[in-house]
Amino acid sequence: MKKLLNTLYNTAENRYLALDGLNIVVREDDREVGRVPLHNLESVITVGYTGVSPALMAECAEQNISICFLKPGGKFMARVTGRTRGNVVLRKTQYRYSEDPEKSLDIAVNFIVGKLYNSKWVLERTKRDYALRVDTEKLSACSAQLSAFINMARSCESLEALRGIEGEAASIYFSAFNEMILQQKEDFSFELRNRRPPTDYVNALLSLTYTLLANMCASAAETVGLDPYVGFLHRDRPGRASFALDMMEELRSVFADRFVLNIINKKIISAQDFKQKENGAVHLNDSGIKKYFTALQNKKKEELTHPFLNEKIEWGMVPYAQALLFSRYLRGDLDKYPPFLWK
């Protein structure tokens, strides 16, 4: 199993990343303020517009270290990766399956079953751990509806119908999301999912975390030789990493949503860590970004037992493990792709 390496987060908008030997040098106002060896890194995420030197981009590409560029508010701008790697036969199988409606549906069903199952157990875990602080009847009702949607997804006959089931189930799940916010309720309340741009604190955190999770899934797909742009549930669209979006569906609630709830409920992030633009868009300020990325890196290092592999791995390795299992399915080593089912 691949080892989890570090991610370098450049959160200061006025800092420039350059290359010196095999080190990333962080510069601010023409002076060096930090230095990180490349061999310790698997990715770089930089916020703002100051940039990265061409030499550093070339060396990161050579060493398969991805660089993700985010706007100051956390919106995705671009992603730089190296040469296309992997087994061409594996990718050709991925392309062939993507063009086959039956194969695509079979694969997409497992992604959505994983998503609904994990969403259900996020609700169940909250109900179990905080029975005296939440509306258990509401959580139970939503959980039961998600169980029904799981059965419907398994017997689905088209991708269009599956997308409809996923949309309805997501609406049910998010209708209970505010129940899981236990602290700072006066500032962090959730009514509905909004984005492009997010207009409240909770949606700002969700959007940023989904963006970073998609980047993790794209990197994982490329690492095992898959094409992150050729999906099954999400169909081909220029510039969209459709397969990475497919992969992240089953991890949205169990990784991204629980992380957001954790940093709110543990008061790691507060209302003072946000700012609002004139158009109503809400995003983290400089201090909030630093707190957020520190908490995210800690989350990625937490260990769990993978439900299919039955091995202890870090949360940051889960996308890689799922990409590896998917590649084994394409090679014929597994009869079905096993979604990540958390409990």
Side-chain angles (χ1 to χ4, degrees):
M1 176 70 73
K2 175 178 174 286
K3 289 186 177 180
L4 179 68
L5 298 177
N6 293 317
T7 298
L8 173 64
Y9 300 102
N10 176 36
T11 60
E13 296 179 35
N14 61 337
R15 290 182 177 176
Y16 182 78
L17 304 182
L19 180 69
D20 182 15
L22 292 178
N23 300 286
I24 293 181
V25 175
V26 184
R27 299 189 181 280
E28 182 176 341
D29 299 329
D30 294 327
R31 60 189 178 87
E32 181 178 324
V33 296
R35 178 177 290 257
V36 181
L38 281 170
H39 70 266
N40 287 335
L41 298 176
E42 65 178 5
S43 63
V44 176
I45 294 175
T46 182
V47 180
Y49 303 103
T50 306
V52 173
S53 74
L56 177 57
M57 283 193 280
E59 187 61 33
C60 285
E62 181 65 28
Q63 297 198 29
N64 201 29
I65 300 171
S66 68
I67 305 176
C68 181
F69 295 89
L70 304 180
K71 290 183 178 180
K75 186 177 181 181
F76 177 81
M77 286 196 293
R79 186 166 172 272
V80 177
T81 58
R83 303 183 187 93
T84 299
R85 291 173 165 80
N87 186 336
V88 66
V89 177
L90 183 68
R91 290 195 179 215
K92 287 176 72 174
T93 303
Q94 181 184 359
Y95 302 151
R96 189 170 66 251
Y97 281 17
S98 179
E99 294 298 319
D100 185 324
E102 289 189 11
K103 287 285 190 183
S104 290
L105 177 61
D106 190 44
I107 293 167
V109 163
N110 281 356
F111 286 132
I112 295 305
V113 166
K115 176 179 183 175
L116 302 187
Y117 180 94
N118 290 334
S119 297
K120 168 187 169 65
W121 280 103
V122 168
L123 300 179
E124 289 289 338
R125 179 72 71 90
T126 302
K127 186 177 69 172
R128 185 197 73 185
D129 293 345
Y130 304 101
L132 299 179
R133 301 177 63 184
V134 299
D135 186 341
T136 56
E137 290 186 6
K138 182 173 184 176
L139 294 182
S140 294
C142 291
S143 177
Q145 287 177 290
L146 290 177
S147 293
F149 280 122
I150 290 172
N151 292 330
M152 291 169 63
R154 283 177 172 148
S155 59
C156 211
E157 296 183 353
S158 71
L159 283 171
E160 290 73 19
L162 183 64
R163 293 188 189 104
I165 291 169
E166 187 274 333
E168 289 187 57
S171 178
I172 295 296
Y173 168 74
F174 278 118
S175 73
F177 198 82
N178 197 54
E179 283 296 320
M180 296 187 283
I181 299 174
L182 307 175
Q183 298 288 343
Q184 309 185 85
K185 294 285 278 192
E186 65 281 0
D187 295 316
F188 292 89
S189 62
F190 182 89
E191 294 183 8
L192 53 85
R193 181 79 180 103
N194 62 68
R195 50 186 180 160
R196 302 193 185 116
T199 56
D200 61 75
Y201 301 154
V202 179
N203 275 292
L205 292 172
L206 289 173
S207 292
L208 176 57
T209 310
Y210 291 156
T211 295
L212 296 171
L213 178 57
N215 183 66
M216 290 167 61
C217 290
S219 294
E222 288 174 339
T223 299
V224 302
L226 295 167
D227 191 328
Y229 290 89
V230 178
F232 303 91
L233 176 68
H234 295 83
R235 305 310 291 173
D236 297 347
R237 183 186 298 173
R240 181 170 77 175
S242 296
F243 180 63
L245 296 178
D246 284 354
M247 282 184 62
M248 72 177 282
E249 288 296 342
E250 60 198 83
L251 300 177
R252 280 181 184 267
S253 60
V254 71
F255 180 86
D257 297 353
R258 289 185 73 240
F259 170 72
V260 168
L261 290 167
N262 183 67
I263 60 177
I264 294 171
N265 290 334
K266 290 189 175 181
K267 300 183 180 181
I268 295 170
I269 295 289
S270 68
Q272 287 68 44
D273 294 315
F274 293 85
K275 58 184 176 181
Q276 187 172 31
K277 292 187 173 180
E278 292 181 359
N279 65 353
V282 172
H283 59 80
L284 289 166
N285 58 27
D286 290 346
S287 67
I289 282 283
K290 292 175 183 177
K291 294 176 185 177
Y292 174 91
F293 281 128
T294 299
L296 181 64
Q297 190 64 15
N298 290 335
K299 169 66 178 178
K300 288 167 68 175
K301 292 178 180 178
E302 290 178 7
E303 287 192 339
L304 75 156
T305 300
H306 191 283
F308 183 83
L309 299 173
N310 199 30
E311 295 179 13
K312 275 197 172 294
I313 63 172
E314 300 95 340
W315 268 108
M317 289 299 299
V318 171
Y320 171 78
Q322 294 307 117
L324 192 62
L325 289 171
F326 193 85
S327 69
R328 290 177 182 174
Y329 160 69
L330 292 183
R331 291 189 181 101
D333 298 334
L334 297 171
D335 294 333
K336 294 274 189 180
Y337 163 70
F340 180 81
L341 303 177
W342 175 84
K343 191 172 180 179

